[in-house]
């Protein structure tokens, strides 16, 4: 079975090039078993399932963020493999459509059952937080504005079997109002007011995200590039935990 999932996790993005860097980083936390961490493409493409198993041995809950996007059969077969890993969350792109999302859910369930593990939460990526409204209109040629596009994709994800979506905090009020509270909203692009936004276009503070309905947040550079990651994590966790 997978690790139990915190009700409102603060997920740390493990944006490192090597497994050794990851292990050095995580050893700075006295209780890594209390952490939820995000493994992305960079680490997984280099090490594959081995890096997942190494981090699981430290007790961390794992958000495997690979953003699958392909024809339904390919996605179903890939998610069947990922479902065996005992991770807590996986991602797909909602732009793949309802048939792809349904196939992803089937594959994930099949793989988890084969491994006798809990089925990971399936999260659909809406629009990346690096996409600006201008990029949405001029590069993706989308006729909807950003909020309507994200809400539309979230409805699609919910109806096709996702447990939640990845979204910027700016769309949260509309999502909660139109999609509902019985759905997970995982929000990257989180920064304290004292931290730089970097390449994120649609950012918010932990307090704002929690107030507007986020069920989880993802924090990267402000923690993983901090000279003191433990205290940096504690600052974000304190802000995130405020009601």
């Amino acid at each position: 079975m997978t690790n139990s999932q915190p009700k409102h996790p603060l997920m740390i993005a493990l944006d490192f090039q090597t497994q050794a860097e990851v292990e050095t980083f995580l050893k700075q936390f006295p209780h890594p078993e209390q952490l939820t961490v995000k493994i992305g493409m960079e680490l997984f493409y280099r090490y594959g399932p081995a890096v997942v198993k190494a981090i699981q041995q430290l007790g961390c809950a794992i958000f495997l963020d690979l953003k699958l996007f392909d024809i339904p059969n390919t996605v179903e077969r890939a998610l069947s493999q990922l479902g065996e890993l005992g991770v807590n969350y996986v991602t797909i792109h909602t732009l793949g459509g309802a048939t792809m999302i349904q196939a992803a859910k089937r594959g994930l369930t099949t793989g988890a059952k084969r491994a006798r593990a809990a089925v990971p939460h399936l999260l659909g990526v809406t629009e990346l937080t690096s996409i600006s409204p201008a990029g949405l209109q001029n590069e993706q040629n989308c006729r909807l504005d950003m909020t309507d596009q994200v809400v539309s994709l979230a409805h699609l994800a919910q109806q096709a079997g996702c447990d939640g979506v990845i979204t910027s905090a700016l769309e949260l009020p509309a999502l909660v109002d139109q999609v509902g509270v019985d759905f997970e909203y995982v929000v990257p692009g989180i920064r304290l007011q004292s931290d730089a936004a970097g390449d994120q276009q649609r950012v918010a503070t932990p307090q704002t995200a929690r107030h507007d309905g986020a069920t989880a947040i993802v924090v990267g550079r402000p923690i993983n590039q901090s000279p003191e990651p433990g205290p940096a994590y504690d600052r974000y966790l304190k802000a995130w935990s405020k009601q």
Side-chain angles (χ1 to χ4, degrees):
M1 300 295 286
T2 61
N3 294 319
S4 60
Q5 299 161 357
K7 188 174 181 181
H8 294 286
L10 189 170
M11 303 170 171
I12 305 174
L14 298 180
D15 297 329
F16 299 101
Q17 292 187 354
T18 69
Q19 187 172 322
E21 290 175 298
V22 169
E23 292 173 353
T24 297
F25 172 76
L26 292 175
K27 286 178 181 177
Q28 297 180 72
F29 293 86
H31 298 287
E33 71 278 2
Q34 297 177 0
L35 302 177
T36 301
V37 298
K38 181 175 79 72
I39 298 173
M41 299 176 190
E42 185 175 12
L43 280 173
F44 195 82
Y45 288 169
R46 182 167 186 173
Y47 298 103
V51 71
V52 173
K53 294 176 181 178
I55 296 170
Q56 284 174 326
Q57 289 177 356
L58 297 174
C60 300
I62 294 178
F63 169 25
L64 186 58
D65 185 24
L66 301 181
K67 300 182 178 71
L68 276 71
F69 189 2
D70 211 315
I71 63 172
N73 184 62
T74 298
V75 169
E76 182 172 355
R77 292 167 68 92
L79 264 295
S80 176
Q81 298 297 320
L82 299 183
E84 293 189 20
L85 298 181
V87 299
N88 302 81
Y89 308 86
V90 297
T91 54
I92 59 173
H93 268 286
T94 56
L95 287 169
T99 302
M100 190 205 80
I101 296 171
Q102 292 162 355
K105 188 74 169 185
R106 285 196 305 271
L108 201 59
T109 302
T110 298
K113 183 177 181 180
R114 191 163 56 234
R116 297 182 179 180
V119 180
H121 290 205
L122 181 63
L123 303 174
V125 176
T126 54
E127 289 290 342
L128 300 175
T129 54
S130 58
I131 300 296
S132 66
L136 181 70
Q137 293 183 6
N138 299 328
E139 296 173 8
Q140 296 187 17
N141 297 312
C142 182
R143 71 181 188 278
L144 301 177
D145 65 23
M146 183 66 74
T147 297
D148 288 344
Q149 168 74 344
V150 169
V151 169
S152 176
L153 291 172
H155 272 302
L156 172 69
Q158 186 181 52
Q159 293 165 4
C162 281
D163 299 289
V165 291
I166 314 296
T167 178
S168 101
L170 302 187
E171 288 77 53
L172 278 171
L175 286 166
V176 170
D177 180 58
Q178 298 181 51
V179 181
V181 296
D182 190 23
F183 204 50
E184 296 177 43
Y185 301 111
V186 179
V187 180
I190 296 294
R191 296 289 187 272
L192 293 174
Q193 290 182 342
S194 57
D195 291 328
D199 59 357
Q200 304 282 8
Q201 296 292 326
R202 306 188 332 270
V203 300
T205 65
Q207 298 98 318
T208 299
R210 184 65 177 268
H211 176 270
D212 288 346
T215 57
I217 57 173
V218 183
V219 183
R221 282 164 287 189
I223 296 176
N224 63 41
Q225 293 187 11
S226 171
E228 295 183 316
Y233 172 81
D234 289 340
R235 286 193 297 274
Y236 271 84
L237 185 62
K238 182 179 179 180
W240 169 236
S241 300
K242 287 183 178 179
Q243 298 293 330

